[in-house]
């Protein structure tokens, strides 16, 4: 019985050694697996955090995309409005250009009329100069004829005066030299 107990004890010891070795091996495996599980758990948490961050980034990108799309639509609207304004401004420019051309034509016509008027004024100035010369000539001629007229009138008056004295002498003639006025050359 000792033997059997010894054999059972030896078997138990052998089994205990095997079990210990298996337990150590299982403990090592368990520690490895626990470390791997912890590592996977940390990786999972990191991945979850990354996923959360990526979801946040994704949400921000979606928001940015929405804002960019909205800005693009607004810029397209603005572009359309600016094109319409540009077309309107081009029409206004064409109208103003036509008005400017018309004004320029009117200005050119006014300048031409001004030069014509200036030429007429110059011609009238020349005619006035000629008329002034003619007037001066006429004045000189008038002065000359006035002097001639005064001479003629003085001569006529003196001649009439002589004739009147002669007639007066003839009328008063009594046959003597008394009462006779002498004729003088005046």
């Amino acid at each position: 019985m000792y033997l059997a107990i010894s054999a059972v004890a030896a078997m138990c010891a052998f089994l205990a050694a095997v079990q210990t070795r298996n337990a150590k091996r299982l403990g090592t495996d368990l520690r490895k697996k626990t470390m791997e599980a912890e590592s996977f758990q940390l990786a999972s948490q990191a991945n979850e955090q990354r996923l959360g961050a990526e979801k946040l980034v994704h949400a921000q990108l979606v928001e940015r995309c929405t804002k960019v799309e909205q800005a693009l639509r607004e810029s397209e609207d603005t572009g359309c409005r600016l094109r319409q304004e540009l077309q309107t401004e081009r029409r206004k420019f064409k109208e103003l250009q036509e008005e400017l051309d018309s004004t320029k034509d009117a200005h050119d016509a006014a300048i031409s009329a001004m030069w014509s008027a200036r030429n007429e004024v110059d011609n009238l100035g020349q005619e006035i100069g000629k008329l002034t010369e003619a007037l001066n000539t006429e004045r000189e001629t008038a002065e000359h004829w006035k002097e001639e007229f005064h001479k003629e009138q003085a001569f006529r008056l003196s001649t009439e005066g002589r004739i009147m004295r002669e007639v007066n002498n003839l009328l008063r003639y009594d046959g003597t030299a008394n009462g006779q006025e002498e004729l003088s050359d005046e």
Side-chain angles (χ1 to χ4, degrees), residues 4-177:
I5 292 180
S6 285
V8 171
M11 244 193 294
C12 280
F14 176 73
L15 282 175
V18 169
Q19 286 292 333
T20 304
R21 196 180 71 185
N22 282 342
K24 281 184 184 178
R25 191 174 41 93
L26 285 175
T28 304
D29 284 346
L30 183 61
R31 276 192 293 276
K32 271 187 184 176
K33 296 290 182 189
T34 304
M35 288 174 70
E36 284 179 9
E38 287 175 358
S39 173
F40 282 133
Q41 188 176 9
L42 289 174
S44 174
Q45 287 174 354
N47 284 338
E48 283 179 12
Q49 288 175 351
R50 238 185 280 143
L51 182 62
E54 298 225 353
K55 282 182 180 179
L56 183 62
V57 168
H58 178 71
Q60 289 174 348
L61 287 176
V62 167
E63 186 179 339
R64 283 184 189 168
C65 285
T66 305
K67 286 181 181 179
V68 167
E69 286 175 354
Q70 184 179 0
L72 182 61
R73 271 187 254 117
E74 288 175 0
S75 66
E76 285 175 356
D77 293 343
T78 304
C80 288
R81 186 174 40 82
L82 289 175
R83 276 193 293 278
Q84 289 173 348
E85 287 178 10
L86 180 63
Q87 289 173 353
T88 303
E89 293 300 319
R90 282 183 181 163
R91 274 188 241 118
K92 286 180 184 178
F93 174 75
K94 284 180 183 177
E95 291 171 2
L96 289 175
Q97 187 67 37
E98 290 171 1
E99 186 178 333
L100 178 65
D101 292 343
S102 172
T103 304
K104 185 179 178 193
D105 292 343
H107 180 263
D108 291 344
I111 287 177
S112 177
M114 182 191 73
W115 281 109
S116 297
R118 186 173 180 185
N119 289 339
E120 283 184 38
V121 167
D122 290 344
N123 291 340
L124 288 175
Q126 291 174 356
E127 287 182 27
I128 287 173
K130 290 177 184 177
L131 288 174
T132 303
E133 286 180 26
L135 181 63
N136 289 337
T137 304
E138 287 295 321
R139 282 184 183 159
E140 290 173 3
T141 304
E143 287 293 322
H144 171 70
W145 286 112
K146 188 176 179 182
E147 288 175 12
E148 289 295 321
F149 173 74
H150 286 305
K151 285 180 188 176
E152 183 71 31
Q153 190 177 21
F155 178 71
R156 195 176 47 160
L157 287 176
S158 70
T159 304
E160 284 177 2
R162 278 191 212 151
I163 291 172
M164 288 300 279
R165 277 191 299 252
E166 253 336 291
V167 168
N168 197 12
N169 282 341
L170 284 174
L171 290 176
R172 281 200 248 149
Y173 182 64
D174 59 0
T176 65

